[in-house]
Amino acid sequence: MATRLIAGKNIKIVASGFNPPLFTEYWLKKEKLIPEDCEFSPPPISTPQFTQISSKKFTLLVLPDQLQYNITEDSKLGIDFIKAITEKVPSLAYIAMGFNFDYFVPDNEIKPGLFFIPGNKLFQDFREKDARFGTFLSKSFENSRMSLSIKPSRAIDPKGLESDVYHFSFNYHIDLTKGDSKSIISSSVTNWNKYFKYSEKLMAI
């Protein structure tokens, strides 16, 4: 596709046992989970139910049942962070982890009717000029179940201008309920770039 904007990259761990208030600037730096020179802006928000941290390098959201690390600059920092979490926060009951990549493609670069199925009766009721369509695809990839949803949406650019886009959302779901969950997390996140490159490959078709 000629034009595509990557709107987000994140790594998510779903587990019971996270303690959001634990994730303070002092603790993160003391445990060497983030660089000493890392500055937070705006100031972190922390309550018993969630902690939210923002910096130029990443954003972090911690809830009692999940942790989401959003990569904004250095993917290696995120990979190292996720690996370290399994050692620094020992009493977690892991359920799943996921790699997520989101892209926006301008509406006018998607061929009209690309996702329309002429022979399907349901689609016949959407033969309107203002109708828009999407799709959902899923398959196994590496040790994950990959899904790709494509749907029409609206996006706001850095200048505050709103436009019609198609939102391509990749999710790689990895089950952590069977086997050595810490080992699966470590080996999977080590290969994070493989999942990202595969998403990039599909977006280039």
Side-chain angles (χ1 to χ4, degrees):
M1 296 170 194
T3 305
R4 63 181 186 272
L5 170 68
I6 185 154
K9 297 177 286 188
N10 71 62
I11 303 170
K12 182 181 287 188
I13 294 179
V14 179
S16 59
F18 281 116
N19 178 19
L22 172 67
F23 290 77
T24 63
E25 179 177 0
Y26 170 78
W27 183 78
L28 291 171
K29 290 182 176 180
K30 179 177 76 73
E31 298 295 337
K32 302 188 185 303
L33 290 165
I34 60 173
E36 277 289 340
D37 61 355
C38 186
E39 296 181 359
F40 295 161
S41 179
I45 301 172
S46 183
T47 75
Q49 293 304 312
F50 80 94
T51 291
Q52 182 172 305
I53 294 170
S54 299
S55 75
K56 290 182 178 180
K57 296 179 182 292
F58 68 93
T59 61
L60 179 68
L61 176 65
V62 185
L63 304 172
D65 62 350
Q66 64 179 264
L67 177 149
Q68 180 172 307
Y69 185 104
N70 298 291
I71 298 168
T72 53
E73 277 190 6
D74 186 2
S75 61
K76 184 179 184 303
L77 182 63
I79 291 167
D80 292 342
F81 181 92
I82 295 297
K83 285 182 177 179
I85 282 296
T86 62
E87 301 303 326
K88 304 295 183 180
V89 188
S91 57
L92 294 173
Y94 294 102
I95 299 169
M97 75 180 298
F99 303 139
N100 302 287
F101 308 102
D102 293 278
Y103 298 82
F104 291 147
V105 175
D107 180 85
N108 58 14
E109 292 195 16
I110 300 295
K111 183 181 177 181
L114 177 62
F115 303 118
F116 183 78
I117 305 174
N120 187 297
K121 290 183 179 181
L122 177 63
F123 281 72
Q124 300 311 307
D125 208 44
F126 288 83
R127 284 185 174 275
E128 308 290 342
K129 287 185 178 180
D130 63 352
R132 302 178 75 194
F133 307 93
T135 193
F136 179 87
L137 305 123
S138 181
K139 70 169 190 173
S140 295
F141 178 80
E142 295 292 325
N143 64 333
S144 75
R145 186 66 188 179
M146 174 200 140
S147 65
L148 167 61
S149 68
I150 306 170
K151 61 183 180 181
S153 185
R154 299 280 287 173
I156 300 175
D157 68 17
K159 295 181 180 179
L161 300 176
E162 198 171 0
S163 62
D164 290 323
V165 298
Y166 272 83
H167 180 189
F168 287 68
S169 181
F170 291 87
N171 169 258
Y172 297 86
H173 176 89
I174 300 167
D175 182 23
L176 298 177
T177 61
K178 300 172 184 176
D180 184 343
S181 54
K182 289 185 179 182
S183 176
I184 295 171
I185 291 171
S186 180
S187 60
S188 298
V189 79
T190 297
N191 290 319
W192 177 89
N193 202 46
K194 183 180 292 185
Y195 298 84
F196 177 52
K197 284 186 175 180
Y198 186 64
S199 301
E200 287 277 286
K201 175 186 173 183
L202 293 181
M203 289 301 299
I205 293 176

